Amino acid sequence: MKVIKKIERLNKTKGRIENPAIEFIIIPSEGGEEIFGIGKAEIKKPAVFYIKANFTEPEFEVGDTLDVIVKKVDEFGNESSFADSTDFEVGIVEGCDIGNILKPDGEEGQYFLSMKMPIKFIVADSLETDSTKVILRVGIESTDDTTYLPYSEFLQNNKMTEKANSQKTKSNKNDGASFAEDDITFQSCSIQDFMTDAIDTPEAELVEIIEIMLGETKYFGLQMKGEGTSAEYKICEVETEYGNAPVFPEDADGWIWQKTKTVWGDDPAEVVDEGGASGVYWEKKYPLFNGKSFKKMENLNDGLIRVIGRYWEEGKEANYKVKLTANDGAHYKTIIVKVVKPNDLLSDDESISYKWAKDIRNDDLNIDDFLIENGGKHGILPQLLKGQIFQEAIRENDKFWPSYRYEPWQDIRFRNQKNQDNVEYYLKQPYWVDANGMGLESGGEPVPIEHQNIRPILNYSTSTPYPNNPMKIGEYVSDNWAQYYVGSSSSLNRKFSKHPLYGPNEVQVIWNYLSKYYGKRDNKTDAIFQSEYFVKQFLKDNYIEFAQTRKASSYGYFQMLYTTAITGKFKYPRRLGNSPAPEKLSDHEIAKEYVMNHLLQNVNIKLRGKNESYSDNDWTDGFEKIWLESYRLYNGADDYAESIIRNSKKFSPKL
């Protein structure tokens, strides 16, 4: 039987033929009369969608795996997903030498006639090419039910708003608008002819990676070449010696430095990996030094930014990568900043590295690696830590040694502070030294005798590295006289620590009087002997309390006070009854957490006054100024904080 159809009337509604009247003639297959009739049938026009493909990230690094997301878009711009069973034709248009397409079954190549999602692009682990961009061509065949068209046609039919254009420029994401079908020479990467006409062309660009050492400072600016849509941009380092003012180099070869306040915006750094943390601190200030001494913080010239490598951990480098973005108001340029481990902490103009230390187990300790590891973990510049050790620890034979120091004036201050609760707490056992012994009551541990290399070698009759017998304050200071003044032992000009109770330093007053008196009467050697004799006798006669050589002492490379360790925010622990022996703070592996956290606590105290925190950037007072003030909380002695910043300049990070 043969059917002849003739459409009499079409009612079109949104591309679909609804209930048309159809005249049809039926002719029997083996002769007979024609049968005429009128009937109705519904004929559906194929649905129309545009294929849209994007890389999930517009930028990539060496070794990355890029995901391609493919969507179908209706005429109103509504996006929906393809079924997992959908076949796509995928090939590389540009960037053939950068990597390969990866199929779900693990096969790699530069062209596949048919592959299902997920569609991935594998960037090579190393690149020897000038190519910086990857462009794919993703296509799909139309079916009887669905017609697919290139996404570029959708964009041509639906002009993007200025807002969308602005967002597109900022993110560098490709929505398929960059390439019309005629612009693409597919054979650039494959001998295959592309079979499908419904295509989109996602693209991604290789982003420049700048390495910065933990603790290193770098300055960056933005350069532009050309104008309008053809303008090129690049972020470049502005080199200068640490402590000096960075200055823009001259414009050259058509590249012009962008010297405006808005180049770096208010938030130029973005963590690359979700769940990661910023490995850098940035600010729009720089530290000005006078020689090796820190002078003040100054504002950078417009268009410059300072970046400091602040966090680094072995095996977690990717967690701390940061995307640094500059702009000229309309166009954006991005680099990735990656913090790397320095090999040494030593400035070029220094000859003694102090790279090694002896520890309490008589092992050699690579102090640089120790400080890099722990400073990088806590976000403290390792050269600051080394500058502090240089100030605090005993140095012999170009090495640091774990050090011990009883603090007599702190001992007296603790006993006489106004807060009686604190006084009672200080007087409690364990570790309170009295006529009965070294404070072993209430579960106190004995003075360890196994610690080695404790410096200085103290002047008392004992076989232990720490005081192991009760002594009076004046007696101890007299017997270990050289620890408590500054100046040469062969000089009458000496400086003594100020007594915290009486304001003017009575020891200094007595010494000044005696040294002048005997200095006029006797030769220098006799004058020194007589002055020392009478000052020591004064101490023995007037400071007769038992010296708290366990509680009121500082230990280790950082000279942390035991009282600081047990009463700070990060406890040693706080309850005396279950505290380990104070002397165990000489062990760098035990002391490190208390030291690092105490330093950060002091920094945050200073920042809270500005409604800022350590995780913030561009601190109001500037990086070095905040650290200077925080070290004054650690030790309020004259020039102590300044000496740490000054010492840190000796130990700049080096590869």
Side-chain angles (χ1 to χ4, degrees):
M1 180 176 68
K2 181 170 66 176
V3 178
I4 302 174
K5 295 184 289 184
K6 181 179 179 182
I7 299 176
E8 297 287 356
R9 184 177 76 252
L10 298 179
N11 295 323
K12 296 184 179 180
T13 305
K14 294 183 179 180
R16 176 175 292 181
I17 304 172
E18 292 189 350
N19 300 323
I22 299 177
E23 178 183 351
F24 55 88
I25 303 171
I26 301 176
I27 302 176
S29 58
E30 296 182 359
E33 297 181 358
E34 294 181 350
I35 302 173
F36 293 87
I38 299 295
K40 290 185 178 181
E42 184 176 345
I43 300 176
K44 294 183 178 180
K45 182 181 178 181
V48 176
F49 288 98
Y50 303 90
I51 178 174
K52 177 182 179 181
N54 280 326
F55 282 109
T56 53
E57 293 294 333
E59 296 159 331
F60 64 88
E61 302 174 40
V62 171
D64 277 354
T65 297
L66 308 180
D67 292 304
V68 179
I69 303 299
V70 187
K71 298 285 187 179
K72 51 185 175 181
V73 182
D74 67 19
E75 62 180 312
F76 302 105
N78 300 312
E79 297 183 6
S80 57
S81 299
F82 284 95
D84 293 340
S85 59
T86 306
D87 287 315
F88 297 96
E89 185 180 16
V90 185
I92 304 175
V93 175
E94 184 177 328
C96 320
D97 46 1
I98 291 177
N100 285 315
I101 301 163
L102 176 67
K103 293 181 68 177
D105 62 5
E107 183 182 357
E108 293 185 26
Q110 300 207 335
Y111 169 79
F112 293 103
L113 176 61
S114 177
M115 70 175 291
K116 294 178 172 57
M117 292 188 289
I119 301 171
K120 296 179 181 290
F121 183 86
I122 306 296
V123 183
D125 291 332
S126 61
L127 297 178
E128 297 180 2
T129 175
D130 294 331
S131 301
T132 61
K133 185 180 292 185
V134 170
I135 304 175
L136 301 185
R137 182 165 173 168
V138 180
I140 187 172
E141 286 280 2
S142 296
T143 66
D144 292 340
D145 297 328
T146 307
T147 297
Y148 291 106
L149 299 173
Y151 189 63
S152 57
E153 290 189 17
F154 172 81
L155 296 176
Q156 291 167 4
N157 296 334
N158 301 270
K159 292 183 179 180
M160 292 187 295
T161 63
E162 290 184 1
K163 179 179 179 181
N165 270 320
S166 174
Q167 292 173 340
K168 177 181 174 63
T169 303
K170 179 175 181 179
S171 67
N172 287 327
K173 288 186 177 179
N174 174 45
D175 283 337
S178 299
F179 293 89
E181 190 175 343
D182 294 339
D183 295 333
I184 301 172
T185 304
F186 180 72
Q187 285 78 4
S188 61
C189 290
S190 172
I191 61 173
Q192 300 288 336
D193 289 326
F194 212 82
M195 306 300 294
T196 52
D197 295 325
I199 58 98
D200 198 12
T201 53
E203 68 176 83
E205 189 166 359
L206 177 67
V207 65
E208 183 181 8
I209 300 177
I210 300 294
E211 292 186 345
I212 185 171
M213 288 182 287
L214 176 68
E216 183 182 15
T217 281
K218 286 189 175 184
Y219 299 93
F220 296 100
L222 177 67
Q223 287 188 296
M224 181 182 73
K225 185 177 184 179
E227 296 180 354
T229 57
S230 62
E232 300 176 69
Y233 296 86
K234 62 181 179 180
I235 294 174
C236 296
E237 182 182 354
V238 177
E239 296 184 1
T240 189
E241 184 178 349
Y242 175 72
N244 292 341
V247 178
F248 281 113
E250 294 294 327
D251 296 334
D253 301 324
W255 288 99
I256 301 172
W257 292 101
Q258 303 302 292
K259 302 176 183 179
T260 64
K261 289 181 178 294
T262 58
V263 165
W264 296 104
D266 296 326
D267 191 17
E270 177 187 354
V271 177
V272 172
D273 290 349
E274 185 176 352
S278 175
V280 305
Y281 167 89
W282 64 266
E283 66 181 1
K284 297 178 183 179
K285 307 175 188 68
Y286 72 94
L288 181 63
F289 278 71
N290 182 9
K292 292 188 176 182
S293 297
F294 171 67
K295 186 177 180 182
K296 60 180 178 178
M297 299 298 299
E298 292 277 16
N299 291 325
L300 287 168
N301 290 330
D302 292 344
L304 284 174
I305 191 171
R306 180 192 186 192
V307 178
I308 306 173
R310 181 158 61 164
Y311 287 93
W312 174 88
E313 290 185 76
E314 188 79 53
K316 296 183 179 180
E317 291 87 349
N319 291 5
Y320 294 122
K321 287 190 295 187
V322 170
K323 185 183 296 184
L324 192 67
T325 302
N327 75 93
D328 69 348
H331 300 85
Y332 292 75
K333 185 64 179 178
T334 296
I335 59 172
I336 298 292
V337 180
K338 178 182 178 182
V339 182
V340 297
K341 177 188 176 183
N343 291 325
D344 300 290
L345 300 174
L346 182 67
S347 299
D348 291 336
D349 56 350
E350 295 292 327
S351 57
I352 302 177
S353 68
Y354 293 102
K355 186 181 180 71
W356 294 93
K358 299 294 290 188
D359 70 10
I360 63 169
R361 287 169 284 275
N362 201 31
D363 292 330
D364 290 318
L365 172 67
N366 186 322
I367 203 73
D368 285 1
D369 283 351
F370 172 72
L371 298 178
I372 289 166
E373 176 186 347
N374 289 280
K377 175 183 175 182
H378 291 86
I380 303 175
L381 306 195
Q383 64 265 38
L384 282 174
L385 298 172
K386 195 168 182 179
Q388 185 179 2
I389 292 178
F390 187 86
Q391 180 69 20
E392 295 279 15
I394 298 297
R395 304 188 299 273
E396 292 179 4
N397 301 321
D398 300 342
K399 294 181 180 180
F400 294 125
W401 299 74
S403 305
Y404 166 83
R405 178 184 173 91
Y406 165 60
E407 307 280 1
W409 309 141
Q410 292 281 33
D411 186 3
I412 296 170
R413 182 175 70 86
F414 292 152
R415 301 167 194 250
N416 293 276
Q417 56 189 309
K418 293 180 180 179
N419 189 318
Q420 287 303 305
D421 289 340
N422 288 344
V423 173
E424 291 180 12
Y425 184 68
Y426 182 62
L427 300 178
K428 283 183 178 180
Q429 293 289 2
Y431 309 127
W432 179 261
V433 178
D434 56 23
N436 296 320
M438 302 302 291
L440 304 186
E441 294 87 342
S442 303
E445 297 178 0
V447 175
I449 61 173
E450 69 276 10
H451 288 186
Q452 302 181 59
N453 299 316
I454 300 299
R455 295 292 190 274
I457 305 299
L458 300 177
N459 183 23
Y460 47 76
S461 178
T462 177
S463 60
T464 66
Y466 310 99
N468 203 18
N469 295 301
M471 300 177 70
K472 303 294 182 65
I473 294 176
E475 177 187 9
Y476 185 95
V477 174
S478 298
D479 287 353
N480 297 279
W481 175 245
Q483 289 192 50
Y484 299 105
Y485 65 84
V486 177
S488 171
S489 60
S490 61
S491 172
L492 285 168
N493 295 319
R494 299 180 186 178
K495 183 178 180 181
F496 294 83
S497 299
K498 287 185 177 180
H499 194 297
L501 293 181
Y502 309 119
N505 181 4
E506 59 182 10
V507 177
Q508 186 75 59
V509 171
I510 295 170
W511 175 265
N512 290 344
Y513 174 81
L514 292 173
S515 62
K516 288 181 181 179
Y517 174 78
Y518 289 112
K520 292 178 180 179
R521 195 189 72 174
D522 303 329
N523 62 51
K524 187 171 71 171
T525 301
D526 289 340
I528 291 173
F529 175 81
Q530 293 290 346
S531 300
E532 286 186 355
Y533 175 81
F534 282 108
V535 171
K536 290 178 181 179
Q537 194 60 48
F538 169 81
L539 291 168
K540 291 178 181 179
D541 291 343
N542 289 275
Y543 292 87
I544 58 175
E545 298 91 348
F546 281 101
Q548 296 310 308
T549 52
R550 305 195 73 184
K551 281 188 173 184
S553 295
S554 49
Y555 298 90
Y557 304 120
F558 291 97
Q559 287 291 275
M560 169 162 263
L561 272 166
Y562 171 70
T563 50
T564 299
I566 64 170
T567 59
K569 181 178 179 181
F570 303 93
K571 312 299 186 293
Y572 180 54
R574 184 180 181 87
R575 294 183 64 84
L576 285 172
N578 57 5
S579 165
E583 294 81 5
K584 289 184 178 179
L585 286 169
S586 292
D587 187 340
H588 60 280
E589 290 295 344
I590 291 177
K592 62 185 181 183
E593 293 299 320
Y594 304 105
V595 171
M596 304 297 165
N597 286 314
H598 183 64
L599 291 174
L600 292 179
Q601 175 183 315
N602 288 343
V603 171
N604 276 306
I605 288 173
K606 289 299 178 180
L607 288 172
R608 279 200 298 270
K610 305 290 183 180
N611 293 318
E612 296 170 333
S613 70
Y614 196 68
S615 60
D616 293 336
N617 293 280
D618 203 19
W619 297 335
T620 301
D621 287 345
F623 190 83
E624 279 79 2
K625 180 64 181 299
I626 285 294
W627 272 102
L628 178 75
E629 295 298 329
S630 71
Y631 271 117
R632 285 176 177 154
L633 294 179
Y634 192 95
N635 187 325
D638 292 345
D639 198 48
Y640 177 83
E642 287 79 2
S643 70
I644 303 300
I645 306 298
R646 186 166 58 247
N647 294 340
S648 71
K649 208 165 183 286
K650 298 174 180 285
F651 304 116
S652 299
K654 289 173 57 177
L655 288 175

